[in-house]
C-alpha cells in the first residue's frame, strides 16, 4: 500500500501510475490520515518549507515506513530538519506534473538508510519507466535542463528575434516537438522565473540568470497560457 | 525576382546538399570547387540520399535522373557567371571565404545575389570583401541539408531589404522554413543548442548519470535525441569550439565551456568517432 498525501493533480497522477502497474495506492488529505501499515508514504503537499518540515517530522514520528518527500527547488536534506529519525526519509522529484509514470528522480540525504533507499528505489521502479538516481543538488536533473532554451530564447526575443522564429529554430533545426517559448507559456512564466531565480541564486551559473524579458512579462501579468497571454496570445 | 540558375561554391557536405535541394525543385545548379575529387565524393552522397527516397517510394527513378541532369560541376569559377544566386560553402576560414567572395563578384552579373553558409563568421565582416555588400547575406543551412528543414537567414549591416526578401523567397522555393537571425556569433540555433550541453556537463561533474540526463531531455521536450548524445555525435571538441567562439566573440559568460567537456577533449574522448565520449559507442 502506498499513501500519497496531498490532494492535488500530481498525487492523482502518481496514484494512477501506481494503479496502472497493479499497486495499491490512495490519495489522502493530510498526515493525520496515515493509519496502519504501508510500504511507502509519498508526501506531496505544497511548497511551504516550514509547514512541510513539520509534516515530515510528524510522519517520521508516527511511522517507520519509508517517506518520500516531493521536492522541486529544494535540497532533500532541507526537508528532514526537525525529524527525530531521518533514516527512512528520501526525496523524489517529478517534471512538474508531466511525464508521471515515465520519469521520476530519487535522492537520498546524508542520513538515509541504504536499505530504505533500495526499497524505495524498487517500489518506484515498479511504476515508473525510469528512476533517475540523483545526488542532492538544487533542481535535480529536470529543473536544471528544462528551461535553458526558454531563458535564452527570451533573451533572443529581446534582441529582436521573433517568438515564432525562436521556436522554429528548435522545431526545425533540432526536430524537437515542444519548442521552448511554447513550453514556458504552458508551464507558466511566473513558475519559470521562480525556477531560474532559484537555480541562479544557488548555483551562480550564468545560464540561469533570468532574462529581463521574462521578468517584465511576469510583472505585466502575462504569465502564459493560464493568463491568456505570454510569449504567445491565447484565446 | 525569378531565379533559374544557382551557383554553389564548395562541393563538400553542405555545398552538395544545397545543390541537391535546389535541383530537386527544378533549379539548374553549378557546383564549383578547387578540388576535383570533391565532385565524385559529393555525387556519391547525393546518389545515396536520392536512392533512399526512391526506396521509400518518395521519388521515382525518372525524377532522380531529371534532378541529376540539372546538376553540373566545374573547377572554373567563370562558369558561375550566369547564376542568379551564388551560395558560398567553402571551409570555415575567414581568409579563404573573403578571397572566394571577392573572386565570385568579379565573374557574376550585377543582379546576382551572393550568400554565405558560414556557421559562425560575421556576415557584415564577410560582406567587406564585396564592392556591393548590399547584395550579400548569410544563409545558414543545417546538416544533412536534404533532411533538415531549417535555414537561418542572416542580414549583415549592409544587406538591402530587396536582397533579404529575394533570398527569403528562394528559401521558401526550396521548401525550407526560414528564420531571421541577427548577425551575432552563433546566430540563433547555435546560441541555444550548446547551453543544455554545457549545463549537462556540470551535472556530469556532480555525478549524474548521462543516460538519465538524455532521457529527461527527450521526454520533456519530445526530442528525438538526447542533448548529450548530440555532443558525442559531433565530438566534445565541436561543442567546446561552439561555446568558446560565443564566449569569446560576445564575451557572454553563459557560454564558458565547462571543464568536464574540456577534459573529454584532452583525453581524446571525442564521441562516436573515437568509440568513447560521454557515452561508450561501438
Ligand atoms: N558541416 C556542417 O554540419 C555545417 C552546418 C552548417 C554550416 N556549415 C558551414 O558550411 C561551410 C562548409 O562546410 P562543409 O561541412 O560542407 O565543409 P567541407 O569540408 O565538407 O566542404 C568544403 C568544400 O569547399 C572546398 N573549398 C575549399 N576552399 C575552396 C575555394 N577557395 N574555392 C572553392 N572551393 C573550396 C573544399 O574543397 C571542400 O570540398 C562551412 O562554412 C561550415 O562552417 C557546416
Amino acid at each position: 500500500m502506498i499513501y500519497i498525501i496531498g490532494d492535488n493533480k500530481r498525487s492523482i497522477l502518481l496514484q494512477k501510475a501506481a494503479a496502472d502497474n497493479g499497486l495499491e495506492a490512495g490519495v489522502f488529505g493530510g498526515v493525520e490520515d496515515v493509519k496502519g501499515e504501508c510500504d511507502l508514504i509519498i508526501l506531496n503537499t505544497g511548497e511551504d518549507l516550514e509547514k512541510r518540515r513539520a509534516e515530515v517530522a510528524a510522519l517520521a514520528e508516527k511511522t517507520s515506513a519509508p517517506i518520500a518527500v516531493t521536492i522541486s527547488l529544494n535540497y532533500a536534506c532541507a526537508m528532514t530538519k526537525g525529524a527525530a529519525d531521518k533514516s527512512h526519509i528520501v526525496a523524489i522529484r517529478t517534471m512538474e506534473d508531466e511525464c508521471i509514470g515515465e520519469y521520476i528522480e530519487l535522492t537520498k540525504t546524508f542520513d538515509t538508510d541504504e536499505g530504505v533507499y533500495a526499497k524505495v528505489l524498487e517500489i518506484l521502479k515498479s511504476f515508473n519507466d525510469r528512476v533517475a538516481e540523483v545526488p542532492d543538488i538544487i533542481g535535480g536533473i529536470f529543473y536544471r535542463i528544462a528551461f535553458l532554451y526558454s531563458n535564452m530564447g527570451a533573451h533572443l526575443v529581446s534582441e529582436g528575434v521573433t517568438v515564432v522564429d525562436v521556436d522554429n529554430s528548435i522545431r526545425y533545426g533540432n526536430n524537437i516537438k515542444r519548442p521552448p517559448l511554447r513550453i514556458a507559456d504552458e508551464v507558466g512564466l511566473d513558475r519559470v522565473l521562480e525556477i531560474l531565480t532559484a537555480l541562479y541564486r544557488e548555483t551562480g551559473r550564468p545560464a540561469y540568470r533570468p532574462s529581463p524579458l521574462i521578468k517584465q512579462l511576469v510583472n505585466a501579468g502575462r504569465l502564459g497560457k493560464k493568463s491568456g497571454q505570454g510569449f504567445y496570445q491565447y484565446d | 525576382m525569378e531565379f533559374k540558375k544557382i551557383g554553389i561554391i564548395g562541393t563538400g557536405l553542405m555545398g552538395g546538399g544545397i545543390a541537391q535541394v535546389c535541383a530537386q525543385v527544378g533549379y539548374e545548379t553549378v557546383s564549383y570547387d578547387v578540388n576535383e575529387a570533391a565532385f565524385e565524393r559529393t555525387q556519391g552522397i547525393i546518389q545515396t540520399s536520392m536512392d533512399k527516397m526512391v526506396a521509400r517510394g518518395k521519388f521515382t527513378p525518372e525524377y532522380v535522373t531529371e534532378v541529376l541532369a540539372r546538376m553540373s560541376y566545374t573547377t572554373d569559377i567563370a562558369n558561375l557567371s550566369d547564376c542568379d544566386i551564388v551560395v558560398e560553402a567553402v571551409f570555415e576560414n575567414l581568409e579563404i571565404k573573403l578571397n572566394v567572395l571577392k573572386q565570385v563578384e568579379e565573374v557574376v552579373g550585377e543582379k546576382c545575389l551572393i550568400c554565405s553558409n558560414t556557421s559562425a563568421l560575421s556576415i557584415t565582416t564577410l560582406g567587406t570583401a564585396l564592392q556591393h555588400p548590399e547584395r550579400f547575406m548569410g544563409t545558414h543551412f543545417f546538416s544533412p541539408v536534404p533532411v533538415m528543414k531549417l535555414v537561418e537567414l542572416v542580414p549583415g549591416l549592409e544587406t538591402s531589404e530587396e536582397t533579404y526578401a529575394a533570398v527569403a523567397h528562394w528559401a521558401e522555393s526550396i521548401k525550407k522554413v526560414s528564420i531571421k537571425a541577427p548577425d551575432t556569433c552563433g546566430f540563433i540555433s547555435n546560441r541555444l543548442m550548446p547551453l543544455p550541453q554545457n549545463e549537462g556537463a556540470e551535472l556530469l561533474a556532480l555525478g549524474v548519470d548521462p543516460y538519465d540526463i538524455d532521457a529527461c531531455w527527450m521526454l520533456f521536450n519530445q526530442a528525438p535525441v538526447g542533448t548529450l548524445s548530440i555532443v558525442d555525435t559531433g565530438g566534445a571538441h565541436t561543442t567546446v569550439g561552439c561555446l568558446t567562439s560565443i564566449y569569446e566573440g560576445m564575451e557572454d559568460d553563459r557560454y564558458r565551456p565547462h571543464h568536464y567537456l574540456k577534459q573529454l577533449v584532452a583525453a581524446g574522448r571525442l564521441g562516436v568517432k573515437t568509440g568513447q565520449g560521454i557515452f561508450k559507442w561501438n
Side-chain angles (χ1 to χ4, degrees):
Chain A
M1 173 69 183
I2 303 175
Y3 275 83
I4 305 169
I5 304 172
D7 204 353
N8 55 47
K9 185 174 168 200
R10 183 181 306 153
S11 295
I12 292 161
L13 292 170
L14 285 165
Q15 181 192 30
K16 183 175 182 306
D20 287 349
N21 287 282
L23 301 178
E24 204 190 325
V27 174
F28 299 90
V31 172
E32 64 284 358
D33 297 319
V34 174
K35 290 184 186 98
E37 288 300 297
C38 67
D39 303 303
L40 176 66
I41 300 166
I42 295 177
L43 183 70
N44 179 42
T45 45
E47 290 267 332
D48 181 340
L49 182 60
E50 289 311 321
K51 183 167 164 271
R52 302 197 75 204
R53 277 178 173 157
E55 287 169 340
V56 172
L59 265 180
E61 178 94 33
K62 198 166 175 174
T63 170
S64 58
I67 302 165
V69 188
T70 55
I71 56 171
S72 57
L73 301 169
N74 229 315
Y75 292 104
C77 289
M79 310 312 292
T80 60
K81 197 173 166 190
D85 177 5
K86 301 179 168 74
S87 68
H88 56 119
I89 304 169
V90 296
I92 56 176
R93 185 185 287 105
T94 64
M95 299 182 183
E96 293 286 288
D97 290 342
E98 296 188 45
C99 303
I100 292 189
E102 294 179 89
Y103 175 93
I104 198 159
E105 295 176 11
L106 172 62
T107 300
K108 58 181 127 188
T109 74
F110 292 120
D111 302 297
T112 306
D113 174 81
E114 286 301 326
V116 170
Y117 181 80
K119 188 175 167 204
V120 176
L121 179 60
E122 194 192 315
I123 297 172
L124 291 178
K125 277 185 173 165
S126 67
F127 72 96
N128 291 278
D129 299 340
R130 176 176 288 268
V131 183
E133 296 182 66
V134 182
D136 196 5
I137 56 175
I138 283 296
I141 299 174
F142 171 65
Y143 289 99
R144 288 208 187 197
I145 59 174
F147 301 102
L148 288 162
Y149 278 177
S150 311
N151 196 31
M152 192 60 205
H155 185 83
L156 287 164
V157 171
S158 313
E159 278 183 25
V161 178
T162 69
V163 168
V164 171
D165 280 359
V166 167
D167 275 358
N168 277 348
S169 86
I170 293 305
R171 200 194 291 269
Y172 298 107
N174 296 31
N175 289 330
I176 282 179
K177 292 218 180 73
R178 291 186 73 202
L181 298 181
R182 184 69 72 182
I183 291 188
D185 266 5
E186 283 168 10
V187 169
L189 299 186
D190 47 347
R191 178 65 175 154
V192 171
L193 179 59
E194 188 184 354
I195 292 162
L196 292 167
T197 304
L199 291 174
Y200 185 51
R201 186 186 60 223
E202 211 62 17
T203 69
R205 295 190 61 79
Y208 301 114
R209 191 168 53 225
S211 143
L213 179 59
I214 296 183
K215 290 185 184 173
Q216 287 162 350
L217 288 168
V218 170
N219 276 311
R222 298 187 178 191
L223 307 180
K225 207 168 180 180
K226 63 183 169 191
S227 77
Q229 187 159 18
F231 287 109
Y232 292 92
Q233 179 89 41
Y234 301 84
D235 10 67
Chain B
M1 181 169 179
E2 277 307 311
F3 298 125
K4 273 168 85 174
K5 197 166 183 178
I6 318 293
I8 299 99
I9 309 177
T11 314
L13 181 69
M14 298 304 287
I18 296 165
Q20 182 185 339
V21 294
C22 289
Q24 281 178 6
V25 300
Y27 292 117
E28 261 182 80
T29 67
V30 195
S31 290
Y32 158 69
D33 203 295
V34 283
N35 176 9
E36 208 164 349
F39 300 147
E40 208 174 312
R41 196 175 50 230
T42 297
Q43 281 168 317
I45 295 170
I46 294 172
Q47 187 76 51
T48 311
S49 144
M50 306 265 284
D51 286 349
K52 267 191 210 154
M53 297 300 273
V54 173
R56 281 201 257 143
K58 302 250 176 184
F59 292 173
T60 63
E62 296 74 35
Y63 171 74
V64 172
T65 309
E66 277 172 38
V67 170
L68 296 177
R70 284 196 279 268
M71 305 180 74
S72 63
Y73 299 86
T74 182
T75 51
D76 181 359
I77 197 166
N79 287 330
L80 298 179
S81 61
D82 58 346
C83 287
D84 302 302
I85 176 166
V86 172
V87 184
E88 170 280 307
V90 303
F91 299 139
E92 185 77 355
N93 173 294
L94 180 63
E95 223 163 299
I96 297 178
K97 284 195 194 281
L98 288 172
N99 211 355
V100 83
L101 287 169
K102 196 172 290 179
Q103 286 172 32
V104 77
E105 195 176 38
E106 280 163 18
V107 302
V108 295
E110 62 182 23
K111 289 222 170 101
C112 177
L113 303 179
I114 304 172
C115 299
S116 172
N117 186 51
T118 179
S119 318
L121 297 170
S122 155
I123 296 304
T124 304
T125 305
L126 288 174
T128 60
L130 303 177
Q131 304 275 340
H132 293 285
E134 66 277 4
R135 60 155 130 182
F136 173 73
M137 62 183 268
T139 49
H140 183 223
F141 288 86
F142 290 73
S143 178
V145 180
V147 179
M148 301 303 289
K149 288 193 82 73
L150 190 69
V151 59
E152 291 180 320
L153 302 184
V154 192
L157 222 45
E158 307 292 347
T159 306
S160 72
E161 279 176 27
E162 292 73 28
T163 299
Y164 186 88
V167 170
H169 181 70
W170 168 70
E172 197 185 338
S173 75
I174 57 173
K175 300 182 180 162
K176 294 298 173 196
V177 173
S178 61
I179 62 177
K180 186 175 184 179
D183 185 16
T184 53
C185 263
F187 309 133
I188 296 176
S189 204
N190 286 340
R191 281 169 80 186
L192 292 167
M193 276 267 277
L195 290 171
Q197 299 171 344
N198 209 34
E199 298 315 312
E202 165 75 356
L203 290 173
L204 294 175
L206 292 168
V208 175
D209 180 345
Y211 289 97
D212 287 336
I213 298 172
D214 270 10
C216 179
W217 178 261
M218 288 164 69
L219 265 175
F220 185 65
N221 295 301
Q222 293 179 20
V225 278
T227 187
L228 296 179
S229 296
I230 294 176
V231 174
D232 268 5
T233 304
H237 57 303
T238 309
T239 305
V240 170
C242 180
L243 285 161
T244 305
S245 74
I246 303 173
Y247 178 51
E248 288 175 358
M250 296 179 67
E251 296 180 16
D252 188 335
D253 58 359
R254 283 173 283 218
Y255 298 89
R256 182 169 44 230
H258 197 277
H259 61 82
Y260 190 92
L261 294 173
K262 290 186 181 173
Q263 282 167 3
L264 288 172
V265 177
R269 295 191 177 189
L270 303 182
V272 178
K273 67 169 171 250
T274 63
Q276 175 143 33
I278 292 167
F279 303 94
K280 267 198 192 306
W281 302 84
N282 21 15

